[in-house]
Amino acid sequence: MTANIDAAKAALSHMEIDDAGPQLKTKSRDFFWYSPVLKARLDHVLGDFVVAPRNEAEVIEVLRTCHAHDVPVTTRGAGTGNYGQAMPLAGGCVMHMKNMAAVKDVAPGRVVVEPGCLLKDVDAACIEHSGQELRMFSSTWATATIGGFVAGGSGGIGSITWGSLRDPGNIIRLRVVTMEAEPRVLEFRGEELARVSHAYGTNGIITEVEMPLAPAYDWVEMFVAFDDFMSAATFAVDVANLDGVLSKIASVYEAPIAHDYFQRVRPHVDEGTNLVGLMVAPHSMDGFLTFLGRTQGAELIYRSDDHDWQKHPGPVFEYGWNHTTLRALKVDPSITYLQVRFGFPEHLEKVAKIREMFSPEVLHHLEVIRENGKAMFAGLSLVKFTTEARLDEIVRLHEEAGCMIFNPHRYTLEEGGRQTVDDRQLAFKREADPKGLLNPGKMIAWDDPEFGFETMYAYPKLKAAE
Amino acid sequence: MTANIDAAKAALSHMEIDDAGPQLKTKSRDFFWYSPVLKARLDHVLGDFVVAPRNEAEVIEVLRTCHAHDVPVTTRGAGTGNYGQAMPLAGGCVMHMKNMAAVKDVAPGRVVVEPGCLLKDVDAACIEHSGQELRMFSSTWATATIGGFVAGGSGGIGSITWGSLRDPGNIIRLRVVTMEAEPRVLEFRGEELARVSHAYGTNGIITEVEMPLAPAYDWVEMFVAFDDFMSAATFAVDVANLDGVLSKIASVYEAPIAHDYFQRVRPHVDEGTNLVGLMVAPHSMDGFLTFLGRTQGAELIYRSDDHDWQKHPGPVFEYGWNHTTLRALKVDPSITYLQVRFGFPEHLEKVAKIREMFSPEVLHHLEVIRENGKAMFAGLSLVKFTTEARLDEIVRLHEEAGCMIFNPHRYTLEEGGRQTVDDRQLAFKREADPKGLLNPGKMIAWDDPEFGFETMYAYPKLKAAE
Ligand SMILES: Cc1cc2nc3c(=O)[nH]c(=O)nc-3n(C[C@H](O)[C@H](O)[C@H](O)COP(=O)(O)OP(=O)(O)OC[C@H]3O[C@@H](n4cnc5c(N)ncnc54)[C@H](O)[C@@H]3O)c2cc1C
Ligand SMILES: Cc1cc2nc3c(=O)[nH]c(=O)nc-3n(C[C@H](O)[C@H](O)[C@H](O)COP(=O)(O)OP(=O)(O)OC[C@H]3O[C@@H](n4cnc5c(N)ncnc54)[C@H](O)[C@@H]3O)c2cc1C
């Protein structure tokens, strides 16, 4: 099976195609370079051409054509994923969804939208229509697409209330095109969503998304400072447990993150400041301030609706989730990160224990999320990178301490997840992508069912660096 | 201090006053007769006259006048409270709020309303204005007032998501008039709300309420049947823990409650059916059904948007909260009830234990509520009443088993609550009602600070039966 790139390009030449150097390179990359491990392995990866279909019929045409010519297809939203999810490991076609960005329908509690629509544009349309917004969004709200979020993301701002994307109810419906001789169009709801959501586009291309909405408010954004780290962590989870106070994010930054990496916050904190970033609904502010008033050692240093900071810090959520790592990287390129789950009910104990073991080599950055009804922490810890061996050791020590790791230094679904095959995704790939052309190299179970996970997976067909 | 009723009536004669027999009797009673204990003690209670002010100025006038003439004032919303809260134990003036029912302002996330507005009318105005509704409401939604809910209620439909009225954020602001020689008008927010909310109008009269709102949806109402009781209870709390599925109520009815007491449900169940009543947002139905499909032994027997029941059962929430007791009472007048807290994390174990101890003398009726972020149960158990001594014993045995009881067979704040004085309420009563004329007999700490709670409190000035 050799890809006939030229034949596919010729057949698709009536569409918007890009195969020039700089564009091609940019569109073949995502934020994989957050990880020194992935950077070392994927830096050279390059597709053969980029095509940008304008509608579902053109998606079908791309898939039919590439199927006929054995050309791999890697779909691209905005390429903000940070595990190389959107990178064409075996080259071939990069299918860019930017021309499919229409908001099709907004109703109470739901929106129907094309996958290439930016998260911020979904929100703008829903606010305009009826004062609604997405329940949750990635901190890349301003640049990422809804399709990329569903296919490659996990949750984010809003997960403090609504849990994760994979929880029943957080995606309503997906419309999906298969990659067969004659592509089929399928609609998935309920239990079947798990086949294609968070599958990195390895087993179908999403052409329409129906998502639940929540009311949009003029969220009050805040920073609350603490001298004591565990007080900050406890406060953040306590805020999530205030049933009458509607919040959208609660992030915890161990000192000296705020001081060292948050440039516009720096004048207002010192090295010892542990910071909590928050978004609270305006009509919940009295309730929030009531609780704040009961909290020892908490100092409200910024609120977006009433402050005298000379330089506006920008949205508080752009300090949280993976933006924390980005800000740290900009100041100190040796910083990388980990994704840790500090599960209920020992979330606070585990956070304390890990801190004792690793701080300051690993600094806590915690996001409060809800899982099975309980507030707990997703950690996106900042790690001072030395060697891959030490990074692996840190991962192992976390796991031994009872903290689950979602390793962001891996480009496969399994290694970035729970290290087990998702049978539903694999079964659907057999149906929907019999030739294995969709985003190759991302699903170990497809390539190598016997893989043992002792070492990092290395996709055998990864195009060699030139 | 003797009340000069005639002088007060004369001074207020330009207002809407009622002192004729039947009206006076009706307006002096609430749903106290739910409790055989209260029925035996309060059945004769009667005010001297009813006055219905039309605005805050008239409230002030009533309070000033009654203060001058030493006349007790007991405020009345709709009189649906069921602990005799709204009953004028020492006679005097019943101040009826029905003429103060205006919805003054609706904004995103909030409503400002006069206290006499019915809960259903608040919702109607908010839906009409911007598709919003109250976060939580009493099951007496169709008949009760918002002022009575805030002053006498605790929570209800919506508490599965938002917790209880007393949680920070669930009341935004109260405007309150004191009963002094010259009444003052005060505004309470945040921490200060606890002074007057759920104080039965013993220390100030609420003339304006600001409440938080949530989006209004066409909630899908459902009944799900189970053969096994603990499966039903587990399911209800699991639904509350589905972070992506927005629900408004989850009630559990031990068999044979549905069969014996729910007349329109009876044809669709049998004696052994344990029932769960639910309201789920329409855009969460796929997520809900996904979970239902994973649940062993659950049968969806009714959904409001798609059913073939010949007789419409009416709103599912009118089977829940205190309406369960009402339905049971109508069929079997010997039924009364208890209010139990089955706290997290042993809520399920405690429910099982209590059932072993008492069923069928005590049948479980559970409502899932959220407290400190965790889903758990408020029990409004149905009790087959025999004697007061046995009822007290059942209460005691619950407490010994680690279940807190909010005794609904008592008319005082303390005995119906945690049996301790609320110092903030007492302190504010000293300020706001120096003569002790507001709803006398309901705050033990005011009457008898040394009271020991060994026996039921008997208000010494309770008017004797004629
Ligand atoms: C600074 C920063 C912050 C971040 N914060 C978060 C966060 O808070 N939460 C979070 O979940 N993630 C976060 N991420 C990761 C990423 O930004 C998000 O998941 C984002 O939603 C991805 O959207 P995208 O349009 O950039 O997708 P891409 O990166 O383009 O694609 C993501 C994956 O989805 C696939 N895909 C894209 N479109 C389709 C389609 N239509 N059909 C099938 N497959 C498709 C791609 O092939 C790829 O495998 C962050 C990343 C960065 C760099
Ligand atoms: C069938 C049934 C079901 C019920 N379900 C629930 C439930 O789900 N949740 C719940 O919390 N309760 C419930 N209750 C109790 C009661 O119905 C509610 O608390 C209701 O909201 C009370 O409103 P109301 O207008 O009837 O108040 P009332 O009974 O008239 O008054 C309640 C208390 O508030 C005081 N009050 C009233 N207005 C004011 C004011 N403006 N200023 C100061 N004090 C005032 C009164 O003096 C009294 O002490 C139920 C009762 C019944 C009979």
Side-chain angles (χ1 to χ4, degrees), chain A residues 29 32-44 388:
Chain A
R29 297 159 73 85
F32 73 104
W33 51 265
Y34 262 44
S35 158
V37 179
L38 297 180
K39 173 113 172 105
R41 286 159 180 80
L42 305 185
D43 207 29
H44 65 284
E388 288 194 15

Side-chain angles (χ1 to χ4, degrees), chain B residues 274-335:
Chain B
N274 299 283
L275 203 66
V276 176
L278 294 160
M279 288 168 71
V280 170
H283 55 285
S284 288
M285 278 303 290
D286 278 341
F288 170 76
L289 293 172
T290 303
F291 179 71
L292 184 73
R294 294 178 192 168
T295 308
Q296 293 276 322
E299 194 195 346
L300 179 60
I301 61 167
Y302 170 78
R303 57 183 283 184
S304 56
D305 58 347
D306 180 17
H307 69 93
D308 57 3
W309 288 23
Q310 297 202 335
K311 289 198 176 167
H312 193 285
V316 160
F317 73 75
E318 287 188 356
Y319 291 80
W321 289 85
N322 248 318
H323 270 75
T324 318
T325 321
L326 185 61
R327 288 182 192 266
L329 264 173
K330 279 189 187 163
V331 176
D332 178 353
S334 77
I335 297 286

